[in-house]
Amino acid sequence: LVVESIRKHKTVSWPEDKQVKEFLLNNPLYGAGITPYFLMQYDLSLSLETPSDTPSIEHVLPQTMGKQKCWTEKWSAQEHREQKDLVGNLTLLTPRGNSVNTNACYGKKRSFFQEEAMYRITTKLAEENEDWTPEAIVVRGKEIAKWALKRWAY
């Protein structure tokens, strides 16, 4: 009923799957109002339950790299700017977990993600990625985009 109603309005455009995928892969999601809901829905699809704590959005590749070689050796300044806020680089942690891991190297973050993270979206990321690279962000972004197209199929 809702879809039919939307279709009747000529001013409403429903994006094609390709457009949704391209948007998710190439546009920053951090800071958008929908992002916490989007990531929580992805987490829920992986575990069928979600912690009661209010989630905090974690940047695996930090928002600022500083001079830490663990980040600057793998990312150019341009790659950092382009990838830090993409959905493939975002995950969920508790606020405490986020503050403990601010700007930490991936090895430290991965250990925390595996041992202490409450969100399945985050433990899965650590299980599947021994290292965090520009390619890992792209691969994870594609996986999440594929899930989103199934979750909100039109």
Side-chain angles (χ1 to χ4, degrees), residues 11-149:
T11 59
V12 176
S13 173
W14 201 275
E16 299 292 325
D17 286 358
K18 182 179 179 182
Q19 292 171 299
V20 172
K21 183 178 179 182
E22 288 298 315
F23 180 85
L24 288 172
L25 293 176
N26 298 307
N27 291 279
L29 244 57
Y30 183 74
I34 192 75
T35 304
Y37 172 78
F38 182 87
L39 293 174
M40 288 294 293
Q41 286 295 302
Y42 183 53
D43 184 70
L44 187 60
S45 78
L46 298 172
S47 64
L48 301 179
E49 61 182 81
T50 195
S52 59
D53 287 13
T54 302
S56 178
I57 296 177
E58 163 70 1
H59 286 78
V60 183
L61 168 66
Q63 290 178 288
T64 56
M65 291 191 297
K67 295 184 181 188
Q68 293 190 66
K69 286 187 178 186
C70 61
W71 297 117
T72 59
E73 288 178 348
K74 293 178 186 163
W75 271 273
S76 69
Q78 180 179 344
E79 287 173 319
H80 178 258
R81 267 191 315 278
E82 291 172 353
Q83 290 191 306
K84 67 181 172 75
D85 293 328
L86 297 179
V87 72
N89 188 52
L90 304 177
T91 193
L92 297 174
L93 286 175
T94 62
R96 184 191 75 78
N98 199 342
S99 66
V100 166
N101 286 285
T102 300
N103 293 349
C105 292
Y106 181 69
K108 179 182 177 198
K109 286 186 177 197
R110 184 175 187 232
S111 294
F112 184 90
F113 293 173
Q114 290 173 314
E115 297 166 14
E116 298 188 45
M118 297 172 57
Y119 296 92
R120 180 66 185 125
I121 185 178
T122 306
T123 58
K124 181 179 188 294
L125 181 151
E127 289 167 5
E128 295 177 351
N129 296 279
E130 276 189 40
D131 199 8
W132 198 244
T133 63
E135 295 78 24
I137 291 175
V138 171
V139 168
R140 186 165 179 267
K142 287 179 180 178
E143 175 188 319
I144 293 171
K146 183 178 177 181
W147 163 81
L149 291 172

